Amino acid sequence: MMDLTFLIPTRIETEDRLRNIISSVSYLLRHVPAKVIVKEVSGRNTFLHRALPEIRKYANTDNLTHLYEENNEPLFCKSKVLNDLIVASDTKVVANYDVDCILPLTSYRKAYELIIDDTADVVYPYQIGIYQWCAKYDMQIYEQFVKSWEGTSVLDKDKTLSNSTIGWSQFISRQKYIDSYMMNENFVSWGCEDDEFYFRMSTLGNRIARIDNYVYHLEHSRTHNSWFTNPNFNNNYQLWNTIKTFDREQLVEYYENQDYLKIRKAQLK
């Protein structure tokens, strides 16, 4: 699976998010033979100084690249950071990957193979409906999980079912991602960017598939960068309400006139 790169944008704002990124990156490096790129945008390089030493205890980091951008702005723009990561990647398949996301091991390979075999352009590696396991993730479970080579079995000790739709992770043909205008950087911080992405991929004619399995979400506290308290949420919501009325022609016209895409196209040459 070395033609796959996991793209992980992060700002480590709380201790539980620190535990989660240690857990998810260690899990990927142990079990999935793919590249992993983490980009932290923050006022301090927490990943380098606190997460990376722990990850090295549990996994080989040869396939891990860590990027850091110092930025003290209060709003973390996940969409922009994902586009930075697309530019930094060079594999045929990329996966947007939330630091709180864990998948059954078979789901990674199935999602990857659907794209490599040219069966799909975008794969959501979990089913829609009641397919989310909300995993309680206290220090005791954390310590068991990062030391375990048994996949998700540790997370099964304390979990509850909830709904799943379109967040967490998406496997994508990198070229189709670029051709479909990447992430919309006008969505600032948290809210509606995943809805718009799914709508756009579908409207532009990309083949979307799903893996018939569950996603595990490592529970965590919320800040304004991961909840409705985002001060830019209403702007995001209004933008989404506008874009979802577009047909394919209007969608293409909108994106062809976005300044951020002109910059990205130059970076990708």
Side-chain angles (χ1 to χ4, degrees):
M1 297 171 66
M2 288 306 295
D3 218 355
L4 166 65
T5 303
F6 289 95
L7 312 179
I8 305 181
T10 190
R11 174 174 289 181
I12 303 171
E13 298 174 300
T14 61
E15 288 297 307
D16 51 6
R17 298 305 284 276
L18 174 63
R19 290 200 302 267
N20 288 2
I21 197 167
I22 293 169
S23 303
S24 57
V25 172
S26 298
Y27 181 78
L28 291 174
L29 293 173
R30 273 204 303 257
H31 296 294
V32 187
K35 298 178 182 178
V36 177
I37 309 179
V38 174
K39 180 166 185 179
E40 181 178 17
V41 177
S42 182
R44 58 187 183 276
N45 198 338
T46 305
F47 185 88
L48 176 65
H49 296 297
R50 296 191 63 195
L52 187 58
E54 292 299 308
I55 292 167
R56 285 176 171 155
K57 294 178 183 178
Y58 310 119
N60 184 315
T61 58
D62 288 350
N63 291 333
L64 173 64
T65 300
H66 168 234
L67 308 174
Y68 173 68
E69 177 184 328
E70 184 174 357
N71 187 318
N72 290 296
E73 290 293 325
L75 297 181
F76 175 69
C77 188
K78 182 184 81 171
S79 297
K80 181 180 182 299
V81 180
L82 279 170
N83 285 349
D84 293 339
L85 289 164
I86 295 169
V87 172
S89 66
D90 60 4
T91 52
K92 184 174 181 178
V93 184
V94 295
N96 295 345
Y97 203 80
D98 191 314
V99 300
D100 312 302
C101 171
I102 298 291
L103 299 169
L105 295 177
T106 55
S107 297
Y108 296 101
R109 179 164 293 280
K110 288 178 181 177
Y112 172 76
E113 289 176 349
L114 282 170
I115 297 175
I116 287 293
D117 295 343
D118 197 29
T119 302
D121 304 310
V122 182
V123 180
Y124 287 80
Y126 48 85
Q127 193 53 271
I128 189 169
I130 310 300
Y131 282 88
Q132 175 193 176
W133 286 118
C134 300
K136 180 181 177 182
Y137 207 59
D138 58 22
M139 278 300 296
Q140 181 179 3
I141 295 177
Y142 161 76
E143 290 176 358
Q144 292 175 15
F145 181 76
V146 292
K147 296 173 183 177
S148 171
W149 286 77
E150 299 177 6
T152 59
S153 61
V154 174
L155 303 179
D156 292 331
K157 294 182 177 182
D158 195 345
K159 63 183 184 180
T160 57
L161 272 176
S162 187
N163 65 306
S164 64
T165 52
I166 50 176
W168 302 301
S169 178
Q170 308 88 35
F171 285 61
I172 314 148
S173 159
R174 181 176 180 271
Q175 191 57 54
K176 292 294 180 69
Y177 203 164
I178 293 167
D179 294 343
S180 299
Y181 308 113
M182 308 171 72
M183 295 298 292
N184 188 328
E185 295 182 21
N186 298 313
F187 288 94
V188 177
S189 189
W190 183 89
C192 304
E193 72 283 357
D194 291 327
D195 302 90
E196 191 276 338
F197 179 79
Y198 181 89
F199 169 80
R200 173 161 37 100
M201 293 296 111
S202 177
T203 301
L204 293 177
N206 291 289
R207 298 165 298 171
I208 299 175
R210 283 190 178 270
I211 302 301
D212 190 18
N213 211 331
Y214 294 82
V215 56
Y216 288 78
H217 182 258
L218 306 180
E219 295 296 280
H220 58 88
S221 55
R222 300 282 183 170
T223 72
H224 63 271
N225 281 311
S226 57
W227 200 238
F228 296 98
T229 50
N230 167 22
N232 202 68
F233 180 81
N234 285 338
N235 291 336
N236 287 355
Y237 187 68
Q238 290 171 14
L239 177 59
W240 164 227
N241 277 339
T242 298
I243 291 176
K244 71 183 182 182
T245 68
F246 292 167
D247 60 21
R248 187 182 189 283
E249 183 177 345
Q250 291 170 316
L251 195 62
V252 170
E253 182 180 6
Y254 165 83
Y255 273 99
E256 289 292 338
N257 288 292
Q258 295 303 307
D259 289 338
Y260 80 84
L261 275 168
K262 297 171 186 177
I263 296 170
R264 295 302 184 179
K265 287 178 181 179
Q267 292 173 335
L268 287 162
K269 287 183 179 178

